[in-house]
């Protein structure tokens, strides 16, 4: 099982990007605009687009992408069943390596769930 601390990883990534954001504001603004445009509601819902983004993160083996897109999916009201179906497709298309990162995505889902209560 993955030993990643997804909340900590995401915080570290954000902190490490602060100087890059300052030194490359136009590039980072452009990236943000691209992300916003790509993820906007359209023929596909934002939730479906986030599921696709997470699938790419899993199959490309990007732990940071896994954390950020799982967090977005939780915020959008995705269900664990939707997550798990998407992960099954990742494993189908990506084989054993995708299975290892699918396990990480499930852990991220559990780590990033809002406390129940």
């Amino acid at each position: 099982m993955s030993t990643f601390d997804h909340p900590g990883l995401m915080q570290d990534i954000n902190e490490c990007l602060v100087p890059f954001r300052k030194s490359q504001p136009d590039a980072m603004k452009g990236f943000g605009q691209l992300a916003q445009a790509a993820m906007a509601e359209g023929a596909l819902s934002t939730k479906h687009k986030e599921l696709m983004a997470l699938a790419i993160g899993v199959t490309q083996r990007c732990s940071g992408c896994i954390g950020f897109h799982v967090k977005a999916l939780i915020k959008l009201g995705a269900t664990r069943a939707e997550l798990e179906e998407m992960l099954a497709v990742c494993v189908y298309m990506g084989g054993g390596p995708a299975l290892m990162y699918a396990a990480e995505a499930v852990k991220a889902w559990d780590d990033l769930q809002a406390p129940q209560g």
Side-chain angles (χ1 to χ4, degrees), residues 88-109:
V89 175
C90 290
V91 174
Y92 162 60
M93 296 301 293
L99 180 60
M100 302 303 107
Y101 282 83
E104 183 178 326
V106 170
K107 183 174 185 325
W109 181 270

Side-chain angles (χ1 to χ4, degrees), residues 2-110:
S2 170
T3 59
F4 274 90
D5 166 23
H6 292 92
L9 174 65
M10 293 161 52
Q11 182 178 345
D12 287 348
I13 290 169
N14 282 329
E15 289 172 5
C16 290
L17 285 177
V18 168
F20 187 68
R21 284 186 181 103
K22 288 180 181 175
S23 71
Q24 298 298 312
D26 292 340
M28 291 304 292
K29 181 180 178 185
F31 182 79
Q33 289 172 331
L34 176 61
Q36 190 173 25
M39 301 309 274
E41 289 282 331
L44 295 173
S45 71
T46 300
K47 182 170 74 170
H48 284 103
K49 290 177 179 186
E50 282 293 347
L51 286 163
M52 292 180 351
L54 179 57
I56 293 167
V58 167
T59 58
Q60 292 296 307
R61 305 175 195 141
C62 178
S63 296
C65 292
I66 290 170
F68 287 109
H69 292 293
V70 164
K71 182 178 178 181
L73 282 165
I74 291 168
K75 186 176 181 180
L76 289 168
T79 67
R80 187 179 186 108
E82 290 171 320
L83 172 81
E84 290 171 347
E85 271 191 43
M86 178 274 302
L87 291 173
V89 175
C90 290
V91 174
Y92 162 60
M93 296 301 293
L99 180 60
M100 302 303 107
Y101 282 83
E104 183 178 326
V106 170
K107 183 174 185 325
W109 181 270
D110 292 341

